[in-house]
Amino acid sequence: MTSQILQLVLGLLAMPAIVLAIILPGELAIRRFPQKRQSSLRPWIWLSPVLALVGLVIAYPLAASIVFSFRDATASKWVGFSNFVWAFGSAMRPVLFNNVLWIVVFPLLTAVLALSAAIMLDRVKYERIARTFLILPTAMSFVAGAVIWKMMYTYEPPMQPQTGTLNAIWTAITGRMPIAWLIDRSVNNYALIVVAVWMSIGVATLILSAGVKNMPRELVEAARIDGAGEWAIFRFVTLPSLWPTILVVLTTQAIFSLKVFDIVYVMTNGSFGTDVIANRMYTELFVKQNLGTASAIAVLLLILASPVIFMNIKQIKSGGGE
Amino acid sequence: MANVNLRDVRKIYNQTQVIHGVNVDIDDGEFVVLVGPSGCGKSTLLRMIAGLEEISDGQVHIGSTIVNDMSPKDRDIAMVFQSYALYPHMTVAQNMGFSLQMRGNAKAEIRIEVEKAAKILDLEALLERYPRQLSGGQRQRVAMGRAIVRNPQVFLFDEPLSNLDAKLRVIMRGEIKALHQRLGSTMVYVTHDQIEAMTMADKIVVMRDGFVEQVGSPLALYDRPANLFVAGFIGSPGMNFLSGRYAAGAVWIGDVRFPVSDLPVSASEGRRVIYGIRPENLAISDDDGLPLVVDVIEPTGAETHVVGHISGQRVIGVFRERFATRPGDVLRVKFDPWKVHLFDQQSEQRIN
Amino acid sequence: MSAIESHRTMSAPMQSTSKLGTRLKGVALHTAVFLLCLVWFTPVLSLFVTTFRSESDSSRTGWWHAFIEWRPVLSNYVEAMYLTGVGRSVVNSIVLTVPTVLGTVLFSAIGAFTLARMRFRGRIALFLAMVGFQVLPPQLVLVPMLKFFLALGLTGTFIPVWIIEMGLTVPFGIFLLYGFFASIPSDLVEAARIDGASEPRIFLQIILPLSGAVLASLAILQFMIAWNHLLIPLIFLGSGSLSPLTVQVASLAQTNAGGLNTLTAATFISVIVPLVLIVTLQKYFVRGVLGGAVKG
Ligand SMILES: Nc1ncnc2c1ncn2[C@@H]1O[C@H](COP(=O)(O)OP(=O)(O)OP(=O)(O)O)[C@@H](O)[C@H]1O
Ligand SMILES: [Mg+2]
């Protein structure tokens, strides 16, 4: 315990100390130069801690992963594309398929629910309180969410009293057999996606709510005067003007579905056909100790995420951020 | 206190030149106004003096030193911004004392200086307030106070009054002028309002498109504008311009003769010229005089503005008298030949 | 007279049907919102209730039976804190999170200040790189970082986790702060420059004091990210004596050691801090989320 406290103190002191140790001497050093030179040197002094950090944690691993992905399990010799051949081979196919399912279902479900929530909340006076309920799951770890939903999905054999919330409701309403939500291969992936949706709605609703509130009121009023009904207003006014915001939500959630790890790790650990890329990577790395295949999976993730990366960059470049 | 000298100062923003070799001498203790239409480069010039903008070419002297490579804080100047640029998270007193705090002055000393400046500007009651708790005029005062506390060699103002309403602007104009008289410091003041320039300046620098058009005292600019641009820019309502032909010691528009004084005119017979006369230099004459056909009459109370035309060219007259005319009437007006400005139509330069 | 009468009788029911329509719509709206909140809150409630139920109760009946016969016990919490190492994990989570948050805010602020307020070659390119880095899957960094920190002999300390958590969030942090810093009027900075403030002073005395709210937003977001992350502490701290709450709860969940009710107590302990934060500091959380969303 004392070691932890020591580390805490060390961390709290080290953060500002590192920054000061770079910037202050740097500032003193460039003070001798003329103004013009100062202002061309200064940014690099100031940026150096940030560049070091981002370089170490992001840029270097990015490059290294790409290199490792072409090397063998212990990164000792080149193996060409064989790791990628494996990654697209039969062993990975069901895993990739699961991620495709995530990428399609999760963003859509989240966006539809969040959009409905945003539109409904906009019309009630107690929006703040209602919104708080939706955000609560966002504050929790996926581990906690997974524990909670494991309980929600609890399965007891038929004829036993069902202690899981969902099966209790299911059997009470339909009178049918309880469902083993996390084991039954026809539903278990969806069951996992529902957990992610439950945890992601909060943020998505916040973003869409802001979009709804930014929508010019006159637009809706003009449409109403033109005789449009509620549905027509939604279809022809609300949806098109919210579309860019919806796109933000969709892409964010799509990226999330690429990276999803914790929920699957805690709830099923990838068994019963629920494995996803990130979990498989963890397995390759720590169970099978294969650096090459693990890196190939990481590179695969990068390739899958790159369209969104470039889309964001393009968006910012064309004036969204400046 | 110090003089400021600009020597062939240029500013180039990636390839486009916005200041074209400006030469201006500002004497110690002088109040100089840079004036010109929007986008002519006044702010850029001022900011180069302040050190906020790099000087692409030429030199800026403050006192006897070339300050091109000095940082703003070493130039011993103070600047009042159009937006006032008060630090929102500091009280009035902290705002005013910030520069001294940066210099490392002692707290008590800062307090004394701040209070002194506050007294001059009547800000004593506001010292503990935050900028958001002040009115526009009060903020403006605080911005000036912040400048005064530094006791700089040169004060720089960039359109400091343009965010105030018309009435307050007139009051603050007077206050800045009084401040100048009291402190006797060198002040450089940027505005696009020629009235501000006329009323405040010891010396006006008229700029257009990055060039200095004319430098001179307000009355010199009013009485002898060097070119068509300055003639049109100074004075309100603006000078009347009639386009005609110079011949036989007068200007002819059609066959109407417009008189010119005996001053030497550097134009050949038959040259196309612009005949300029200020609206206030028109006088009603009872019999002879030129026929001014009245289009619009604007009584302001103190004066009567008459918009009309002579020989088909638009003319505005400003008269002290009140009189009853109606659109369509013909007034007989006289020009004082000594108040006439002649410009070459092609070069737009003054020729008399 | 009769015409007026009939007009009245005609119009009255018409008005009331349209009124009824809006009434019904209102009822439907409120019901839908209520149901949504109920559905979203039920899982949280079920966790909370279960933490106070005994093992035997839980194995026989669902958590909602607690509303029928309320027999609360505190043993789950006691067990979680003292027997399963959750108490230690609380400390570990704090040691992991607090320096991470401090470092993230500091590094992001410096980066955003430089990119937003200084002019130099490569500025735009670096900013765009930050935009791109936000989206990178964190899995990418695992292998190289593990090798790197193994080589340095720093695994088994919190240092790698601080550094990685910071590195993963700083691009986002820069993006979030950049927008705010860039919107600070440049007159203000120039006035300070004329007043004699050096760049570090402008940063510390002008920019940072004006940015309290947005810095708080970044801090709360990073707090939740770091507090809730599983993968990185799992790999670099293991599930031993240094494990933070997420890792501890995850290993309890996987091994089933201590039983379900202890697990729920441990889970509740792990979520209580972020839950309190998000309710009390909701304003900053919302600001951070909205400021960070790449605008379309
Ligand atoms: N950073 C810049 N990059 C490129 N051009 C600039 C920049 N700043 C100013 N300019 C140009 O320089 C010219 C002069 O600008 P300046 O701000 O000095 O005008 P001004 O006389 O102060 O006008 P105003 O009365 O509107 O304030 C303008 O044409 C402007 O477009
Ligand atoms: Mg200007």
Side-chain angles (χ1 to χ4, degrees):
Chain A
M1 195 58 73
T2 46
S3 127
Q4 274 98 316
I5 302 298
L6 269 180
Q7 290 195 44
L8 177 66
V9 174
L10 172 87
L12 287 178
L13 293 178
M15 299 300 169
I18 291 169
V19 171
L20 288 181
I22 295 170
I23 290 178
L24 285 188
E27 278 287 328
L28 288 179
I30 59 171
R31 206 149 277 182
R32 313 179 275 115
F33 292 118
Q35 261 249 273
K36 208 169 153 179
R37 190 128 177 78
Q38 274 189 34
S39 46
S40 66
L41 285 173
R42 177 170 293 115
W44 299 106
I45 292 169
W46 282 65
L47 274 182
S48 58
V50 177
L51 291 181
L53 177 71
V54 174
L56 175 71
V57 178
I58 295 181
Y60 156 68
L62 197 67
S65 287
I66 293 173
V67 171
F68 290 157
S69 68
F70 292 104
R71 293 174 81 86
D72 68 355
T74 53
S76 54
K77 68 170 194 285
W78 296 101
V79 294
F81 280 91
S82 67
N83 290 325
F84 288 97
V85 172
W86 170 86
F88 286 103
S90 56
M92 280 291 287
R93 200 154 298 149
V95 178
L96 289 178
F97 178 80
N98 281 343
N99 272 86
V100 171
L101 189 75
W102 272 86
I103 288 179
V104 174
V105 176
F106 169 66
L108 276 180
L109 201 55
T110 310
V112 168
L113 278 171
L115 185 59
S116 327
I119 291 174
M120 290 194 306
L121 291 194
D122 188 43
R123 297 175 179 200
V124 298
K125 289 208 187 74
Y126 43 90
E127 175 171 11
R128 241 186 83 89
I129 297 166
R131 191 176 75 181
T132 307
F133 279 107
L134 296 188
I135 303 180
L136 279 185
T138 305
M140 301 186 197
S141 62
F142 287 104
V143 174
V147 169
I148 292 173
W149 281 86
K150 237 180 160 170
M151 279 168 42
M152 297 288 289
Y153 288 138
T154 305
Y155 170 83
E156 300 287 347
M159 311 323 289
Q160 299 271 341
Q162 293 295 330
T163 57
T165 314
L166 281 180
N167 272 329
I169 295 173
W170 172 257
T171 50
I173 290 178
T174 66
R176 296 210 210 149
M177 294 283 123
I179 297 172
W181 301 97
L182 295 177
I183 295 171
D184 186 334
R185 283 170 193 254
S186 60
V187 294
N188 58 3
N189 274 308
Y190 298 99
L192 295 180
I193 291 174
V194 163
V195 181
V197 171
W198 179 70
M199 305 198 70
S200 310
I201 283 289
V203 167
T205 306
L206 286 181
I207 295 173
L208 287 169
S209 279
V212 169
K213 295 208 171 10
N214 275 341
M215 230 169 46
R217 289 256 168 248
E218 301 84 47
L219 226 58
V220 173
E221 281 158 9
R224 191 156 287 147
I225 288 166
D226 287 344
E230 290 292 327
W231 170 250
I233 289 176
F234 175 76
R235 171 71 188 73
F236 295 109
V237 179
T238 312
L239 203 57
S241 60
L242 279 183
W243 185 243
T245 317
I246 296 173
L247 207 62
V248 170
V249 171
L250 285 177
T251 51
T252 317
Q253 311 299 358
I255 289 290
F256 172 83
S257 4
L258 276 182
K259 306 195 258 189
V260 61
F261 169 79
D262 312 27
I263 294 175
V264 179
Y265 179 77
V266 179
M267 293 189 78
T268 63
N269 201 8
S271 42
F272 316 114
T274 57
D275 219 0
V276 288
I277 305 182
N279 276 71
R280 180 49 77 88
M281 178 179 168
Y282 182 80
T283 317
E284 289 297 322
L285 193 57
F286 290 99
V287 181
K288 302 196 182 147
Q289 311 258 335
N290 189 332
L291 268 187
T293 49
S295 299
I297 293 176
V299 172
L300 194 65
L301 280 175
L302 177 65
I303 293 169
L304 290 174
S306 53
V308 176
I309 296 177
F310 288 114
M311 209 180 76
N312 281 354
I313 289 180
K314 227 179 108 188
Q315 207 122 65
I316 300 292
K317 224 175 169 175
S318 62
E322 303 243 344
Chain B
M1 274 178 272
N3 52 309
V4 176
N5 306 88
L6 309 183
R7 290 274 168 275
D8 200 28
V9 168
R10 288 163 200 275
K11 177 71 191 177
I12 298 163
Y13 282 117
N14 21 290
Q15 264 109 65
T16 48
Q17 188 159 356
V18 297
I19 302 286
H20 304 264
V22 165
N23 287 289
V24 176
D25 292 312
I26 298 165
D27 293 335
D28 188 3
E30 212 170 15
F31 195 112
V32 170
V33 174
L34 303 179
V35 70
S38 183
C40 70
K42 314 174 291 280
S43 297
T44 307
L45 199 59
L46 191 76
R47 291 162 55 81
M48 286 198 285
I49 299 174
L52 296 172
E53 209 77 64
E54 201 189 296
I55 299 162
S56 308
D57 197 13
Q59 292 161 352
V60 174
H61 302 248
I62 297 180
S64 52
T65 41
I66 299 179
V67 296
N68 281 33
D69 290 326
M70 274 189 188
S71 66
K73 66 167 192 282
D74 301 325
R75 296 189 184 196
D76 203 3
I77 45 111
M79 183 154 165
V80 177
F81 293 81
Q82 179 177 355
S83 65
Y84 315 137
L86 301 178
Y87 312 121
H89 57 292
M90 298 184 194
T91 62
V92 168
Q94 287 167 336
N95 261 287
M96 288 170 63
F98 189 67
S99 60
L100 298 185
Q101 192 199 331
M102 291 299 106
R103 269 187 216 164
N105 291 18
K107 270 220 174 74
E109 196 181 331
I110 295 176
R111 189 77 212 172
I112 291 170
E113 290 300 319
V114 167
E115 270 164 10
K116 225 161 73 187
K119 195 158 185 193
I120 295 176
L121 290 165
D122 215 5
L123 287 170
E124 290 136 304
L126 307 176
L127 283 177
E128 295 317 316
R129 294 221 199 151
Y130 285 92
R132 62 172 177 279
Q133 303 167 316
L134 301 177
S135 71
Q138 290 168 333
R139 284 180 207 178
Q140 214 286 328
R141 267 201 183 83
V142 175
M144 295 211 307
R146 190 167 64 177
I148 294 173
V149 166
R150 296 194 54 151
N151 190 21
Q153 296 201 45
V154 182
F155 284 84
L156 306 174
F157 299 85
D158 192 352
E159 308 207 16
L161 304 185
S162 55
N163 283 347
L164 301 179
D165 65 49
K167 206 162 186 175
L168 204 50
R169 206 175 306 162
V170 175
I171 296 172
M172 289 311 296
R173 209 157 79 189
E175 285 201 15
I176 294 178
K177 191 76 189 145
L179 189 70
H180 176 242
Q181 263 142 27
R182 172 176 188 148
L183 301 175
S185 318
T186 311
M187 296 189 174
V188 185
Y189 186 104
V190 163
T191 179
H192 58 255
D193 178 355
Q194 57 95 20
I195 306 248
E196 250 172 51
M198 293 296 283
T199 51
M200 299 174 82
D202 295 328
K203 188 196 269 173
I204 296 180
V205 178
V206 182
M207 294 182 66
R208 175 168 63 157
D209 294 343
F211 291 97
V212 171
E213 294 287 330
Q214 190 174 3
V215 181
S217 72
L219 292 183
L221 260 59
Y222 181 85
D223 291 338
R224 288 190 63 78
N227 55 43
L228 209 54
F229 174 77
V230 176
F233 192 80
I234 302 286
S236 170
M239 190 186 281
N240 295 302
F241 296 123
L242 302 144
S243 144
R245 207 170 280 283
Y246 181 72
V251 172
W252 299 81
I253 299 169
D255 49 10
V256 184
R257 182 177 182 280
F258 288 73
V260 177
S261 72
D262 303 338
L263 285 175
V265 173
S266 55
S268 51
E269 289 287 308
R271 182 118 183 122
R272 293 219 70 98
V273 295
I274 302 283
Y275 183 92
I277 181 83
R278 294 196 182 277
E280 52 272 35
N281 296 138
L282 265 63
I284 303 284
S285 81
D286 298 324
D287 34 15
D288 53 346
L290 298 161
L292 172 67
V293 184
V294 177
D295 294 325
V296 179
I297 303 138
E298 299 169 338
T300 65
E303 298 163 337
T304 309
H305 295 199
V306 177
V307 186
H309 54 272
I310 301 177
S311 302
Q313 303 199 34
R314 190 183 133 95
V315 171
I316 300 179
V318 172
F319 306 99
R320 306 302 310 266
E321 311 91 345
R322 295 184 182 183
F323 45 76
T325 43
R326 306 225 252 132
D329 288 357
V330 177
L331 291 176
R332 291 275 162 187
V333 294
K334 256 191 328 210
F335 304 151
D336 178 353
W338 291 95
K339 301 262 167 81
V340 166
H341 311 264
L342 276 193
F343 306 96
D344 187 276
Q345 190 165 51
Q346 203 170 7
S347 70
E348 300 193 344
Q349 295 301 310
R350 184 183 192 90
I351 50 175
N352 74 330
Chain C
M1 188 69 201
S2 67
I4 293 171
E5 276 306 24
S6 72
H7 181 77
R8 255 190 207 154
T9 46
M10 288 270 290
S11 69
M14 255 169 66
Q15 251 177 22
S16 70
T17 41
S18 75
K19 239 184 199 163
L20 195 71
T22 39
R23 256 272 181 63
L24 274 179
K25 259 190 209 162
V27 170
L29 175 68
H30 293 302
T31 313
V33 173
F34 175 75
L35 278 178
L36 187 69
C37 294
L38 183 72
V39 170
W40 247 250
F41 189 60
T42 300
V44 185
L45 187 66
S46 78
L47 175 78
F48 185 65
V49 169
T50 307
T51 61
F52 291 107
R53 300 187 82 210
S54 68
E55 199 77 38
S56 58
D57 277 355
S58 283
S59 62
R60 278 185 292 109
T61 54
W63 58 273
W64 52 93
H65 283 267
F67 292 114
I68 299 162
E69 32 180 354
W70 179 232
R71 290 194 297 258
V73 295
L74 284 174
S75 59
N76 299 321
Y77 284 98
V78 175
E79 210 162 298
M81 286 300 276
Y82 296 108
L83 295 185
T84 60
V86 167
R88 196 183 52 210
S89 289
V90 173
V91 176
N92 289 337
S93 276
I94 292 171
V95 178
L96 185 158
T97 308
V98 176
T100 303
V101 170
L102 177 70
T104 304
V105 172
L106 218 63
F107 278 67
S108 303
I110 288 170
F113 175 66
T114 316
L115 289 176
R117 307 244 46 137
M118 297 184 194
R119 296 285 169 270
F120 59 98
R121 268 172 156 274
R123 184 179 82 89
I124 302 290
L126 278 173
F127 179 65
L128 292 179
M130 296 301 156
V131 174
F133 286 163
Q134 281 177 55
V135 181
L136 285 191
Q139 283 83 2
L140 207 61
V141 314
L142 295 182
V143 178
M145 282 294 94
L146 191 58
K147 287 191 87 154
F148 179 81
F149 285 112
L150 273 174
L152 287 183
L154 286 174
T155 49
T157 71
F158 285 91
I159 295 171
V161 185
W162 292 335
I163 291 179
I164 294 172
E165 292 288 357
M166 279 164 59
L168 290 177
T169 311
V170 159
F172 165 81
I174 289 178
F175 180 74
L176 178 67
L177 300 185
Y178 180 97
F180 184 82
F181 287 177
S183 73
I184 294 177
S186 56
D187 279 3
L188 223 51
V189 174
E190 287 171 348
R193 205 162 280 157
I194 289 176
D195 276 347
S198 59
E199 292 307 299
R201 271 198 190 275
I202 289 174
F203 179 62
L204 289 174
Q205 296 200 348
I206 308 291
I207 302 285
L208 288 190
L210 289 176
S211 317
V214 71
L215 295 176
S217 297
L218 177 59
I220 183 173
L221 287 178
Q222 174 66 328
F223 185 94
M224 296 200 178
I225 293 170
W227 186 273
N228 289 335
H229 252 178
L230 170 66
L231 187 56
I232 288 155
L234 178 65
I235 289 172
F236 287 89
L237 295 170
S239 43
S241 65
L242 292 179
S243 64
L245 281 165
T246 42
V247 176
Q248 195 66 28
V249 171
S251 85
L252 279 181
Q254 286 196 320
T255 57
N256 256 332
L260 175 74
N261 293 52
T262 315
L263 173 64
T264 56
T267 306
F268 194 76
I269 292 168
S270 81
V271 298
I272 188 68
V273 175
L275 278 186
V276 168
L277 282 183
I278 208 167
V279 172
T280 54
L281 302 178
Q282 200 178 128
K283 191 174 83 185
Y284 298 105
F285 177 79
V286 172
R287 232 185 117 139
V289 166
L290 296 183
V294 176
K295 285 159 206 83

